[in-house]
């Protein structure tokens, strides 16, 4: 009976050691899984940051293009306004010159 008791104790000891080894293995597997998860999360973060930078760059280029187009439109409008103003000024000068010539012609007729 004592022999059986020793065998049972030895078996329990072996079982306890086996469970302990299994726990250590499980803990190392969990640590490995945790490390892999952290690595993947870091890679995902870097990837997402790259996408964000590319998006902002593309957005910036889009804004630059839009601003460039607006600048071109403003320059056209400004140029057109200047042209219109010059044309209007030329017309006024012509009218003024015609008026002066008409007055001069009238004055010269009066002297004749």
């Amino acid at each position: 009976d004592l022999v059986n008791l020793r065998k049972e104790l030895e078996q329990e000891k072996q079982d306890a050691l086996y469970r302990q080894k299994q726990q250590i293995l499980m803990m190392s597997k969990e640590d490995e899984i945790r490390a892999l998860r952290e690595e993947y999360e870091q890679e995902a973060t870097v990837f997402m940051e790259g996408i964000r930078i590319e998006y902002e760059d593309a957005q910036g280029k889009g804004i630059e293009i839009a601003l460039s187009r607006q600048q071109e439109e403003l320059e056209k409008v400004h140029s057109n306004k200047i042209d219109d103003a010059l044309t209007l000024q030329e017309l006024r000068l012509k009218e003024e010159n015609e008026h002066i010539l008409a007055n001069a012609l009238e004055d010269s007729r009066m002297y004749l």
Side-chain angles (χ1 to χ4, degrees):
D1 203 32
L2 193 56
V3 173
N4 284 338
L5 189 57
R6 280 190 179 157
K7 282 183 183 180
E8 284 179 29
L9 285 174
E10 188 61 35
Q11 186 61 41
E12 283 182 26
K13 185 178 175 185
Q14 291 296 323
D15 289 346
L17 284 173
Y18 178 77
R19 282 193 300 274
Q20 191 176 21
K21 285 181 184 178
Q22 287 300 104
Q23 283 181 329
I24 291 170
L25 284 174
M26 288 301 290
M27 286 172 40
S28 66
K29 288 289 182 192
E30 288 173 2
D31 289 342
E32 186 179 337
I33 290 169
R34 193 174 302 117
L36 284 172
R37 183 178 294 135
E38 288 174 5
E39 183 182 332
Y40 290 144
E41 286 174 358
Q42 287 175 350
E43 286 178 10
T45 301
V46 168
F47 181 73
M48 292 303 289
E49 182 66 14
I51 289 174
R52 185 188 64 76
I53 289 170
E54 287 181 23
Y55 174 77
E56 287 176 356
D57 187 45
Q59 205 174 22
K61 286 179 182 173
I63 290 171
E64 287 176 17
I65 290 168
L67 288 175
S68 174
R69 287 181 184 156
Q70 277 186 333
Q71 183 66 29
E72 288 173 8
E73 284 298 314
L74 284 173
E75 287 172 2
K76 281 183 191 176
V77 167
H78 185 68
S79 175
N80 288 342
K81 284 186 177 183
I82 289 173
D83 288 346
D84 290 348
L86 289 174
T87 302
L88 186 61
Q89 193 174 15
E90 287 173 2
L91 287 174
R92 285 183 184 154
L93 286 173
K94 280 183 184 179
E95 285 177 9
E96 195 175 307
N97 284 339
E98 286 174 4
H99 184 70
I100 290 171
L101 285 174
N103 284 343
L105 186 62
E106 218 174 284
D107 287 347
S108 67
R109 282 186 189 158
M110 286 168 82
Y111 288 114
L112 293 173

